[in-house]
Amino acid sequence: MSRIQYPSNIRIVRVPCSGRVNPFFIIKSLLRGWDGVVVSGCHPGDCHYVSGNLVARRRFAILQDLLNLFGIEPDRVTFMWSSASEGDRFANLIKKVTKNIKRLGPNKKFESTW
Amino acid sequence: MTEAKKELEKVKKEIVVTGNEKPQVGVYVCDCGINIAGVVSVPDLVKYAETLPDVAVAREYKFFCSDTGQNIIKEDIQSGLINRVVVAACSPRMHEPTFRLVCKEAGLNQFLFEQANIREHSTWVHMKDPEGAFEAAKDLIKMSVAKARELKPLEVKTVSIEPACLIIGGGIAGMNSALDLATEGYKVYLVERTPTIGGHMAQLDKTFPTMDCSACILTPRMVDVARNENIELLTYSEVVEVTGYVGNFEATIMKKPHYVDQEACTGCGVCVDYCPVVTGNEFDLGLATRKAIYIPFPQAVPGKYTIDMDNCIKCGICAREDVCEPDAIRYDEEPEYMKVKVGTIIIATGWDLYDPTGLKQYGYGRYPNVIDGLQMERLLSSTGPLDGKPTRPSDLKAPHSIAFLQCVGSRNFREGGNQYCSRVCCMYATKQARQYKEKHPDADVYIFYMDVRAFGKGYEEFYESAGKNYGINYIRGRIAEVSEGEDHSIIIRAEDTLLQEPMELKVDMFVLSCGLESRSDAGEVASLVRVQRSSDGFFMEAHPKLRPVDTLTEGIFIAGVAQGPKDIPDSVAQAKGAASSAATLMAKGEVEMEPFFAVVRPDRCIGCGMCVENCTYGAIELIDDRHFGKIASINQALCKGCGACSGNCRCSAIDIFGFTGEQIFSIIMGGEL
């Protein structure tokens, strides 16, 4: 968005709605060795698909608890809201997430399963 | 079609891909001029792509979206070399339709195409980190190839379009869109919140730079709108709910109670003479009064009366037989709701004037002789409270000196200010100054400005002449603060930045040229119709250059200041553009929908009904299947493919075409399953 620069260590997977993101996608990413996962959707109340992000928010709150139980640091999985017009917000959030994950270091929790 | 062409059509091989054969992926890495090739090495990306599983061919070209570029892909498809296409280039928002068409024209199912966005997601946003950008581009290609291998052919779904348009806002933009669409034969529902159409333009006296009388050019249009058979005019109404999607929206409109039977009311106005309640007139911005029973201004359309129940004391005088002969008064009227089906929606909700009360240094609201630009317009207007003979509020004497301050609430990068230029204030202040000088040639008129932006047709000439022929003093500099002198005069302290010296000036009246803002309830409208707003609060266009009247929600268009500050000619041009875009869509009669809907795997579904709860579109129901028992069933006509059901399905029994679990897992794994 507007060519605002952000760290190059994220890879974007396109989904129709944050509501489409099955918890398995996040768990699979962590198993695969990605150091962190970000799910980004429309702001609550502004969902392009009416209420998908609200469904997602509830689901991720539960998932976050579950990941904690497995001993995965909460900062590895981030849920954030940014609209299509908020390029700078998106960039800033990615910068923040990258910083948090760098502090945690590589995700080696599931190394043995690779 | 020529014989040769027909022959060619015949030999063109229809490529049948069932999805079961071995994927043969063609990867096309676009230079996009220097947008991509200027940051990363495209030949190296091509070399990398060749090493990926199932990649049959990888190629580079300057612009794959060009005719030649498209033909390269077509030839590879038609020669049977590939059965999946990955284009690594810009955003799918830009060219996904282009490349889907390429596949289709070459005989390949268009959904066997996947776009890797290595421009917006790599070379543009990591421009200053070329190595990082290269690694990102490599991975994005790898991820797209992984998804492409899992793609299955899909069939396009078409739905019919209701040949009707809902227009929200009855100002100059909404009216023009309505007239164009109605003339083309489409049904139009024009919804206006206030009791009359006309919008802000009705409040203006003259229009720059031609000095046309605003009302004289506006009111005939208002009458045309009211008379047009295809336009259903819904004034004093609000849209309260919008459901559905392109081609088939359903809107619920609330008709607010007028407390006066609009059919029976003849607009005679006798009630006004009898009404004992006097209150501020919104149309004249508090500079004049009206009664509790009123029409907003004499030329209002429709010219029927409304009772303002916030102020009405229900004395019953207007309902008396000798006052209202047609017996039109209805104190107990309730809001009415109506539902309309439309294929398209145009948002033309207009603007609010920036409220300068917060800028304490300018004394607005504190000193009587400080007014805003729209109030000045009403004072100058021949239909205004002073019959076009402006006087200052404190003593109703014609001011001998007036100062205008530009960029009030615009071009302000401090907290709370609007950063954008409102585009009309330089011109309206110049126009108002000229109008005042025409009436009082010996008056002293000053305009304090940052830059004068006279960019439109005839605007520069208009501004030049203001200084040269009318003797208006333009002073470059911001006003630091104002205070009140004796006799309510205004003392201005400012810096003349051209002379680089501080100055003090005493004037009789001070006008704040306030900028335009998005409507205070634009956020609610945005949620209502599910369109987005840019950071300045105005509605966001789908593309700032190429799709300025479209929104990111298909079938919904924007016109006028709702999209961003603009003057009347630009608003009208955009309104006509929005009408044309809506008509283009509706003229086809049907619209193609992406077949990205949910599918249930009956063998996994346990019929828990969670998806039924989560589906906003009511597209899922539980059925009794002879082989599987109670399972979920998707109505594809209603499904929008958002995936809320799938993401939440604890049995992983629902998948979304185009974004299947298999496809997303393969992206996450980078093709290494």
Side-chain angles (χ1 to χ4, degrees):
Chain A
M1 170 75 187
S2 306
R3 310 194 191 187
I4 298 165
Q5 304 289 304
Y6 56 78
S8 63
N9 42 8
I10 71 157
R11 305 289 180 262
I12 295 173
V13 181
R14 184 188 184 198
V15 288
C17 172
S18 56
R20 168 67 187 107
V21 181
N22 193 302
F24 282 143
F25 299 165
I26 298 166
I27 296 167
K28 189 84 175 176
S29 305
L30 294 168
L31 283 171
R32 162 69 176 72
W34 291 99
D35 295 323
V37 182
V38 172
V39 180
S40 175
C42 304
H43 289 279
D46 280 344
C47 181
H48 182 80
Y49 292 104
V50 188
S51 64
N53 56 3
L54 304 182
V55 177
R57 180 165 66 181
R58 287 192 278 274
R59 184 193 306 153
F60 296 147
I62 298 166
L63 178 68
Q64 196 68 278
D65 288 350
L66 202 64
L67 293 174
N68 277 344
L69 205 64
F70 292 158
I72 293 166
E73 304 88 333
D75 273 353
R76 288 207 190 274
V77 181
T78 312
F79 309 107
M80 64 185 220
W81 319 110
S82 60
S83 82
S85 62
E86 295 176 323
D88 45 357
R89 180 186 158 87
F90 180 82
N92 285 333
L93 287 167
I94 294 300
K95 279 178 203 158
K96 203 172 115 191
V97 165
T98 312
K99 213 170 106 187
N100 286 342
I101 292 173
K102 276 197 174 141
R103 187 170 42 80
L104 295 173
N107 161 27
K108 293 195 169 159
K109 188 92 189 161
F110 307 101
E111 208 174 1
S112 58
T113 66
W114 296 354
Chain B
M1 204 185 283
T2 63
E3 284 304 305
K5 248 190 174 173
K6 267 187 199 161
E7 202 54 33
L8 197 74
E9 286 296 307
K10 232 184 271 169
V11 281
K12 200 167 96 178
K13 204 163 44 175
E14 184 69 20
I15 318 259
V16 182
V17 180
T18 61
N20 295 325
E21 57 278 275
K22 184 179 172 334
Q24 298 281 353
V25 187
V27 181
Y28 301 89
V29 190
C30 184
D31 290 348
C32 195
I34 58 163
N35 283 301
I36 292 167
V39 179
V40 295
S41 159
V42 175
D44 286 339
L45 287 178
V46 170
K47 256 183 239 157
Y48 171 75
E50 281 166 349
T51 66
L52 295 170
D54 292 337
V55 170
V57 66
R59 299 187 198 278
E60 173 184 4
Y61 190 67
K62 223 178 293 168
F63 292 104
F64 271 110
C65 56
S66 70
D67 239 16
T68 330
Q70 294 184 22
N71 284 335
I72 296 172
I73 303 172
K74 279 185 199 167
E75 277 164 26
D76 283 348
I77 296 171
Q78 285 172 345
S79 68
L81 185 62
I82 56 166
N83 55 22
R84 300 285 190 287
V85 176
V86 169
V87 176
C90 53
S91 164
R93 278 231 170 265
M94 187 82 209
H95 275 311
E96 190 174 61
T98 314
F99 293 116
R100 278 189 185 163
L101 196 64
V102 168
C103 294
K104 200 174 156 188
E105 284 175 355
L108 186 70
N109 184 286
Q110 57 174 314
F111 299 102
L112 298 173
F113 161 75
E114 180 67 19
Q115 193 159 352
N117 184 0
I118 61 169
R119 192 179 75 175
E120 279 85 341
H121 287 172
S122 169
T123 59
W124 272 2
V125 291
H126 313 316
M127 207 182 278
K128 291 173 185 156
D129 172 18
E131 277 169 40
F134 183 67
E135 288 308 313
K138 267 166 66 179
D139 279 351
L140 289 170
I141 292 173
K142 180 165 141 188
M143 289 152 67
S144 292
V145 170
K147 183 174 176 186
R149 292 165 70 202
E150 302 294 335
L151 291 174
K152 299 276 184 288
L154 299 172
E155 287 314 312
V156 169
K157 170 174 88 164
T158 56
V159 292
S160 63
I161 297 185
E162 190 71 30
C165 182
L166 169 70
I167 300 178
I168 309 175
I172 186 63
M175 280 164 38
N176 268 291
S177 292
L179 283 169
D180 278 12
L181 284 167
T183 311
E184 287 170 64
Y186 296 104
K187 176 82 189 166
V188 174
Y189 300 95
L190 180 59
V191 178
E192 164 60 41
R193 168 162 52 185
T194 68
T196 176
I197 51 172
H200 277 113
M201 191 175 164
Q203 290 175 300
L204 310 182
D205 181 37
K206 297 232 174 347
T207 57
F208 56 80
T210 49
M211 292 303 220
D212 284 312
C213 154
S214 186
C216 315
I217 54 178
L218 178 74
T219 44
R221 299 242 96 181
M222 291 163 63
V223 175
D224 287 349
V225 167
R227 263 203 216 122
N228 197 301
E229 283 178 348
N230 284 336
I231 300 176
E232 188 163 338
L233 185 54
L234 300 159
T235 51
Y236 212 43
S237 299
E238 288 186 36
V239 179
V240 290
E241 195 187 10
V242 176
T243 58
Y245 51 92
V246 56
N248 296 279
F249 293 105
E250 190 176 73
T252 310
I253 297 161
M254 178 181 70
K255 292 163 121 175
K256 294 183 273 191
H258 288 267
Y259 305 106
V260 176
D261 186 331
Q262 298 293 293
E263 297 290 319
C265 176
T266 59
C268 66
V270 176
C271 49
V272 175
D273 298 336
Y274 284 88
C275 180
V277 181
V278 177
T279 180
N281 185 348
E282 302 86 352
F283 186 75
D284 284 323
L285 305 153
L287 296 169
T289 57
R290 63 162 170 81
K291 296 292 184 69
I293 187 162
Y294 71 107
I295 56 170
F297 58 99
Q299 303 92 330
V301 172
K304 306 290 176 73
Y305 283 80
T306 301
I307 298 177
D308 157 18
M309 266 306 161
D310 291 339
N311 289 301
C312 174
I313 54 169
K314 289 194 179 171
C315 62
I317 295 176
C318 57
R320 264 175 20 204
E321 256 173 58
D322 59 323
V323 176
C324 187
E325 269 181 43
D327 188 24
I329 306 297
R330 305 276 181 276
Y331 289 130
D332 53 357
E333 210 174 61
E334 294 282 331
E336 268 179 58
Y337 293 86
M338 64 182 278
K339 278 187 192 294
V340 295
K341 278 205 80 173
V342 293
T344 51
I345 297 174
I346 295 175
I347 305 170
T349 47
W351 50 277
D352 283 333
L353 194 75
Y354 176 82
D355 178 3
T357 317
L359 302 172
K360 298 262 185 271
Q361 67 272 34
Y362 301 140
Y364 182 86
R366 200 151 35 109
Y367 308 139
N369 292 330
V370 180
I371 61 170
D372 66 42
L374 204 53
Q375 287 174 323
M376 184 63 181
E377 201 64 44
R378 293 310 300 150
L379 293 185
L380 286 164
S381 172
S382 52
T383 62
L386 301 171
D387 299 327
K389 298 186 188 75
T391 55
R392 54 186 212 154
S394 69
D395 51 13
L396 296 179
K397 283 187 196 148
H400 183 70
S401 52
I402 303 180
F404 290 84
L405 174 62
Q406 298 310 106
C407 300
V408 177
S410 310
R411 301 180 69 197
N412 180 355
F413 280 76
R414 289 188 204 158
E415 190 89 20
N418 295 322
Q419 301 186 357
Y420 53 84
C421 165
S422 291
R423 290 174 47 116
V424 292
C425 330
C426 285
M427 293 308 294
Y428 82 59
T430 298
K431 184 209 68 168
Q432 289 174 351
R434 273 177 61 154
Q435 278 183 284
Y436 195 72
K437 284 288 272 190
E438 276 169 9
K439 292 172 209 259
H440 302 277
D442 52 347
D444 296 322
V445 179
Y446 306 90
I447 297 182
F448 288 85
Y449 69 98
M450 285 160 76
D451 318 276
V452 172
R453 297 187 165 179
F455 53 85
K457 189 175 182 178
Y459 292 8
E460 183 64 25
E461 298 89 321
F462 186 80
Y463 156 60
E464 273 297 312
S465 149
K468 221 178 271 168
N469 304 336
Y470 289 79
I472 294 158
N473 303 299
Y474 283 85
I475 300 171
R476 184 171 175 271
R478 295 288 299 169
I479 291 173
E481 58 166 2
V482 305
S483 55
E484 201 170 47
E486 59 188 48
D487 197 23
H488 295 293
S489 60
I490 302 294
I491 298 160
I492 292 170
R493 282 177 206 86
E495 186 196 346
D496 185 325
T497 54
L498 291 179
L499 297 176
Q500 296 192 349
E501 55 189 34
M503 61 179 290
E504 201 175 284
L505 186 71
K506 195 175 129 190
V507 291
D508 293 338
M509 194 159 87
F510 183 39
V511 183
L512 300 174
S513 296
C514 296
L516 314 185
E517 285 191 316
S518 68
R519 282 276 186 198
S520 57
D521 60 352
E524 286 153 45
V525 175
S527 322
L528 193 68
V529 289
R530 294 183 300 281
V531 298
Q532 286 168 328
R533 294 194 298 155
S534 22
S535 50
D536 55 14
F538 293 101
F539 293 102
M540 195 168 84
E541 58 286 328
H543 190 282
K545 303 282 179 289
L546 301 177
R547 299 177 65 198
V549 301
D550 306 59
T551 63
L552 290 172
T553 308
E554 218 189 334
I556 301 183
F557 305 91
I558 39 180
V561 184
Q563 181 262 343
K566 51 181 71 67
D567 54 16
I568 295 165
D570 284 2
S571 288
V572 172
Q574 204 188 19
K576 286 176 155 298
S580 164
S581 295
T584 308
L585 193 65
M586 292 190 287
K588 280 196 283 189
E590 55 180 29
V591 61
E592 286 191 350
M593 307 284 281
E594 287 180 330
F596 294 166
F597 28 68
V599 274
V600 176
R601 284 184 59 177
D603 55 331
R604 299 196 69 146
C605 180
I606 57 160
C608 68
M610 184 96 86
C611 50
V612 179
E613 298 287 314
N614 279 335
C615 182
T616 331
Y617 302 99
I620 313 180
E621 54 174 358
L622 293 180
I623 56 160
D624 270 312
D625 188 274
R626 203 155 59 92
H627 302 290
F628 297 100
K630 195 164 82 166
I631 54 163
S633 166
I634 314 276
N635 179 347
Q636 293 188 341
L638 297 176
C639 177
K640 299 291 291 164
C642 69
C645 53
S646 170
N648 231 34
C649 182
R650 50 181 156 151
C651 305
S652 292
I654 308 187
D655 227 337
I656 307 294
F657 278 157
F659 297 94
T660 65
E662 240 177 356
Q663 288 163 358
I664 293 175
F665 282 134
S666 72
I667 293 173
I668 294 168
M669 302 302 285
E672 301 155 18
L673 278 172

